[in-house]
Amino acid sequence: MSSKKKELQSTAMKRTSEWIFSQEIPSDVTVHAGGASFSLHKFPLVSKSGYIRKMVSESSDADLSEIKIPNVPGGAEAFELAAKFCYGINFEISTENIAMLRCVAEYLEMTEDYAVGNLVSRTDAYLNEVALKSLAGAVSVLHLSENLLPMAEKVKLVSRCLDAIALAACKESQFSMSGRSDSGNEVVISSIVSQPKPIVDWWAEDLTVLRIDIFQRVLIAMMARGFKQYALGPVLMLYAQKSLRGLEAFGKGRKKIEAQQEHEKRVVLETIVSLLPREKNVLSVSFLSMLLRAAIYLETTVACRLDLEKRMGLQLGQAALDDLLIPSYSFTGDTMFDVDTVQRIMMNYLENEVEGNRIGYHADDECGVTLLSDMERVAKLMENYLAEIASDRNLTVSKFIGLAEIIPEQSRVTEDGMYRAIDIYLKAHPALSDMERKKVCSLMDCQKLSREACAHAAQNDRLPVQTVVQVLYYEQQRLRDVMNGNLMGGDSPDLPPKVNIFSTDIRPVSDELSSLRRENEDLKIELVKMKMKMKEIERATVVSTTSSPSADKPPLPRKSFINSVSKKLGRINPFVRADGFPLSNTKARTRPSKDRRHSIS
C-alpha cells in the first residue's frame, strides 16, 4: 500500500506541476487530499468550491499556504478531477467516474451558489440524461457507490440508482411475463418448474457484482415496483452460485477458508435464504440442497438451516438421491452423511402431507392418486438413501431404525428396497448381536417381498433364523393359496390383498389376466400328474403290505409320496419332523437343534 500511495502522490504532483507550468504562475497553496499533495492556486479553487472558500476566509493566517481535506470521497483521484474542473481543464465524465464526481462535488460544496454550471449540476445532468437511463449504467453507478458511503446516501445517489434499476427490471420482465395474468400464479409457477433450466434474464448477471446489502435493497425495490417474488428465484440462484464459490461444501474435510471470508459468506447465505420466494416449486431441490450444505458448512443460524430443511421437505418428491447425501462436517468420528438432517427433512414432508390431507386434498380422486404416487416416490427415495448410508460402519442401529421407521408402510408397494438396505447394513455390521439383528429385520414385512427377494432371503446367512422361517412360511402360504384356488375350480386365483394400486406399470389388464390364466392351466396339469402318481404309489404299497404281513411286529405306517417328500422338506417346514410325523403327536421330545431353537410356532 505504501508503494502505491507514493506512486499516486508522484503522479498527482507531476500533473499539477504541468498545470502550473502551462500557466507560468507560481502556486500559492498546497492541498493535502486522499494521501496526496497538490500544488495549486487559491483563486480557481475558491471561485467554485464553497468548502475551500470557507477554510480560506476563516483562517487566521492571511497567507494560508496549506489546506488539509480529510476523508475526501473518492480519494486523490476524485479531488484531482474536481481540481481540473476548477481550472477549466476538459475531461470526460463517464459511468466509471460519475459516482465519485457527484460525491466529491457535494463534499467540496461545488454548487450553483458559487458558480453557474458548477460540478454538482453538471453531474446531476449526466446522471439523469445518460447514466441512469439504462439498467446496466444504473447498476454500474450503484456498484461504484458502495465505496462512497455514506456520502452516496447523503446525495441520494443510491436511492436514485435503486429506483432506476427497479423500473428498468420491471419493464424488461414484462416482455417475458406478457402472456401471464396476476390471477394465474399457479400456471406461472408450474411453467417455471417444467423448464429444465430456469430462464435468467440478461440483466440478472449485472446484479451479481453488487454487495449483498445493496443487492437486497435492489430486490426489495423491484418488488415494491410490482416485480413478482416467485420470479426472483433465478436471480437468487445466479447470485448464490457467484457469491458462494470456493466453498468445500461437497466433501468431508477441514475448513479451508479464512475467518473473515467465512463471516462474509455466512452473511450472504443468510440474506439469500431470507429472500427466497415462499411459493412452492419455484426453486429446484438441488439448489436448496446446495444452500443447505453451505449453511451447515458455514454454521449459519439454526433458523436459516431449519428454513431450508422445511423447503426441501415440501418438494421432497422431486429430489434425487444426491440431493440427500449431505456430508457430515463434524470431526468426532460421526457418520459420513448427515442422517439427522435428512430425518428432519422427511418429517417435514410427512407433516406437510398430513396437513394437505386435513385441508381436503383427498376429496379429489385425481389429486389423491397424485399425492400417494408422490409418497411412493419419496418412499423409494428414502429406501435408496438407507441402502446408500447402510455401509457406513459408524451408523448406529438406533439411527438406522429411526430413519427406516418414518417411511410410511402404506407407501411401500414391495419390501425389496427395505430388504436391500437391511442386507447391506447387516453385511457392513457383522458384530451385531442377535437381538439387534432381529430389530433391524423387523423393519420389513416379509409378506410384501417379491419372489426374487424371497429366493435371496431364504439363502441369506446374515438374516436371523426367525426371519428366514417367516419368509419361507409366507412363500409356502402364497403357493398353497394358489393351489387351493385351482383345486376349487376357479378360473384364476384371487389377487393378493396388498397390491400396487399406484404402480406406474402401463401394461393392459388383459395381458395380466391372460398370463395368470396360462399359469393356472400349467398348475392344473401338474396337479393332475401328482394325483395320478400318488394313486399308483399307494396302490403298490397296499399290495406289498397285504402279501407279506409280519406276525411279531406291528405294521409300520404306510409310506406315501407325501411321506417321502416331507423328509426332504423337514428343514423348511418348522411344523413337521424329519420322519414325517407332526410335532404335536410325539410324546417323548428331544431337544431341538441349535439352529431351530427359536423357530416360531
Side-chain angles (χ1 to χ4, degrees):
M1 292 298 293
S2 59
S3 61
K4 186 176 181 181
K5 185 179 293 185
K6 289 180 180 179
E7 182 181 356
L8 184 62
Q9 291 177 357
S10 62
T11 305
M13 291 296 293
K14 181 180 178 181
R15 289 175 179 174
T16 52
S17 61
E18 288 177 356
W19 306 340
I20 296 169
F21 293 153
S22 64
Q23 301 179 22
E24 297 181 355
I25 300 175
S27 62
D28 55 359
V29 65
T30 300
V31 180
H32 303 279
S37 299
F38 301 88
S39 297
L40 303 172
H41 303 84
K42 294 179 183 177
F43 178 73
L45 298 178
V46 170
S47 63
K48 293 188 177 180
S49 173
Y51 181 86
I52 296 178
R53 177 181 295 188
K54 291 177 183 178
M55 292 188 67
V56 173
S57 62
E58 295 174 0
S59 174
S60 58
D61 188 1
D63 297 327
L64 181 64
S65 59
E66 285 192 10
I67 297 177
K68 294 182 179 180
I69 305 179
N71 304 322
V72 59
E77 183 181 1
F79 181 79
E80 179 185 345
L81 293 177
K84 279 187 176 183
F85 183 83
C86 293
Y87 275 86
I89 300 175
N90 292 328
F91 62 90
E92 182 182 2
I93 298 178
S94 64
T95 55
E96 284 73 23
N97 60 23
I98 185 62
M100 62 180 179
L101 277 176
R102 179 65 184 86
C103 291
V104 75
E106 187 74 20
Y107 186 84
L108 296 177
E109 300 179 19
M110 300 176 70
T111 63
E112 297 295 307
D113 297 336
Y114 303 98
V116 178
N118 213 342
L119 189 56
V120 170
S121 61
R122 294 284 296 274
T123 53
D124 279 337
Y126 184 84
L127 285 170
N128 294 330
E129 298 174 6
V130 181
L132 301 184
K133 284 293 184 180
S134 66
L135 190 144
V139 172
S140 177
V141 174
L142 182 60
H143 178 51
L144 294 172
S145 301
E146 294 173 354
N147 299 323
L148 299 171
L149 299 174
M151 181 55 69
E153 291 280 9
K154 181 179 178 181
V155 300
K156 299 182 179 180
L157 184 59
V158 174
S159 60
R160 292 167 67 183
C161 291
L162 291 175
D163 192 60
I165 294 172
L167 181 61
C170 289
K171 286 183 178 179
E172 291 293 338
S173 64
Q174 286 177 359
F175 291 100
S176 59
M177 305 284 289
S178 58
R180 303 167 185 173
S181 61
D182 293 342
S183 60
N185 289 342
E186 295 180 359
V187 178
V188 174
I189 296 173
S190 62
S191 63
I192 293 175
V193 176
S194 62
Q195 294 170 354
K197 291 184 179 180
I199 298 177
V200 181
D201 292 321
W202 60 269
W203 50 265
E205 184 75 23
D206 297 335
L207 298 182
T208 58
V209 302
L210 298 176
R211 208 169 61 190
I212 184 61
D213 55 334
I214 303 297
F215 176 75
Q216 182 181 16
R217 293 177 63 180
V218 168
L219 298 190
I220 294 174
M222 289 168 57
M223 288 187 288
R225 280 278 185 177
F227 199 89
K228 300 302 180 183
Q229 188 178 12
Y230 59 78
L232 295 178
V235 183
L236 291 169
M237 290 176 63
L238 184 61
Y239 190 89
Q241 291 169 359
K242 294 273 188 179
S243 58
L244 297 178
R245 284 178 179 174
L247 289 180
E248 297 291 336
F250 293 91
K252 188 172 183 179
R254 296 289 180 178
K255 292 183 179 180
K256 300 177 182 179
I257 184 173
E258 297 180 358
Q260 179 63 26
Q261 188 180 8
E262 181 181 356
H263 173 71
E264 293 175 357
K265 291 188 179 296
R266 185 184 302 117
V267 172
V268 168
L269 180 57
E270 292 175 353
T271 305
I272 290 175
V273 173
S274 66
L275 293 171
L276 292 179
R278 307 310 305 181
E279 290 84 357
K280 186 179 178 182
N281 298 331
V282 175
L283 302 169
S284 64
V285 181
S286 59
F287 173 66
L288 295 174
S289 176
M290 184 271 290
L291 292 182
L292 182 57
R293 294 169 193 239
I296 298 173
Y297 181 83
L298 295 173
E299 299 179 0
T300 60
T301 60
V302 176
C304 176
R305 281 174 277 178
L306 293 178
D307 187 14
L308 290 172
E309 291 174 5
K310 185 175 181 180
R311 291 175 183 273
M312 285 190 66
L314 293 176
Q315 301 176 211
L316 191 57
Q318 305 167 12
L321 178 59
D322 290 340
D323 299 331
L324 298 183
L325 296 178
I326 303 172
S328 177
Y329 297 107
S330 61
F331 309 102
T332 58
D334 201 356
T335 55
M336 184 181 301
F337 297 106
D338 196 336
V339 181
D340 296 333
T341 297
V342 176
Q343 187 168 356
R344 289 194 297 269
I345 293 174
M346 183 63 184
M347 292 300 298
N348 286 324
Y349 170 79
L350 295 176
E351 291 176 2
N352 179 66
E353 297 305 323
V354 171
E355 184 66 22
N357 289 334
R358 186 179 302 148
I359 63 177
Y361 280 136
H362 60 280
D364 189 356
D365 293 339
E366 183 179 354
C367 189
V369 171
T370 304
L371 177 62
L372 290 175
S373 299
D374 187 72
M375 291 188 67
E376 183 180 295
R377 287 194 298 269
V378 172
K380 186 67 176 176
L381 174 67
M382 295 304 297
E383 288 175 349
N384 292 335
Y385 179 78
L386 273 177
E388 188 69 25
I389 67 173
S391 57
D392 189 353
R393 295 186 179 274
N394 292 328
L395 183 63
T396 61
V397 176
S398 59
K399 277 193 175 184
F400 183 85
I401 293 177
L403 187 59
E405 285 179 342
I406 63 176
I407 304 176
E409 184 179 356
Q410 66 273 14
S411 63
R412 303 201 302 262
V413 179
T414 66
E415 293 290 315
D416 290 7
M418 184 65 68
Y419 170 66
R420 175 171 169 264
I422 290 173
D423 185 42
I424 295 174
Y425 186 78
L426 294 179
K427 185 177 180 180
H429 301 77
L432 294 179
S433 64
D434 292 340
M435 184 60 66
E436 290 174 333
R437 288 194 300 152
K438 292 177 184 178
K439 288 182 179 179
V440 171
C441 292
S442 64
L443 295 171
M444 64 176 175
D445 185 2
C446 297
Q447 297 185 71
K448 296 169 68 174
L449 290 175
S450 65
R451 293 182 179 178
E452 294 79 6
C454 285
H456 186 278
Q459 302 176 2
N460 194 343
D461 297 335
R462 291 183 288 272
L463 298 180
V465 178
Q466 292 83 351
T467 304
V468 176
V469 170
Q470 287 183 15
V471 171
L472 294 174
Y473 173 75
Y474 288 127
E475 185 65 16
Q476 288 181 359
Q477 189 179 32
R478 184 189 306 172
L479 294 174
R480 190 182 302 113
D481 293 340
V482 173
M483 294 173 64
N484 290 338
N486 284 277
L487 288 175
M488 295 298 293
D491 293 335
S492 61
D494 296 334
L495 293 175
K498 296 181 180 180
V499 295
N500 183 8
I501 61 174
F502 310 109
S503 176
T504 57
D505 191 359
I506 58 175
R507 291 182 301 174
V509 179
S510 59
D511 295 345
E512 190 71 24
L513 293 176
S514 61
S515 62
L516 288 174
R517 289 193 181 97
R518 286 195 297 270
E519 291 180 4
N520 291 338
E521 295 298 330
D522 295 339
L523 288 173
K524 288 179 180 180
I525 295 173
E526 292 296 328
L527 285 172
V528 172
K529 291 180 181 179
M530 289 176 63
K531 287 180 180 180
M532 294 176 62
K533 194 168 185 178
M534 288 171 60
K535 289 181 179 180
E536 292 177 358
I537 294 174
E538 290 177 356
R539 192 180 301 112
T541 305
V542 170
V543 172
S544 61
T545 53
T546 54
S547 59
S548 58
S550 176
D552 300 332
K553 297 180 181 180
L556 295 173
R558 293 185 300 174
K559 293 183 178 181
S560 65
F561 177 73
I562 298 300
N563 295 127
S564 60
V565 173
S566 63
K567 290 183 179 181
K568 297 180 180 180
L569 299 180
R571 294 184 179 180
I572 298 178
N573 194 341
F575 308 103
V576 181
R577 286 189 353 189
D579 55 2
F581 288 93
L583 291 176
S584 59
N585 295 336
T586 58
K587 294 182 179 180
R589 297 183 180 180
T590 59
R591 187 177 183 180
S593 60
K594 185 177 181 180
D595 59 341
R596 292 189 295 142
R597 187 174 299 170
H598 303 286
S599 298
I600 59 175
S601 58

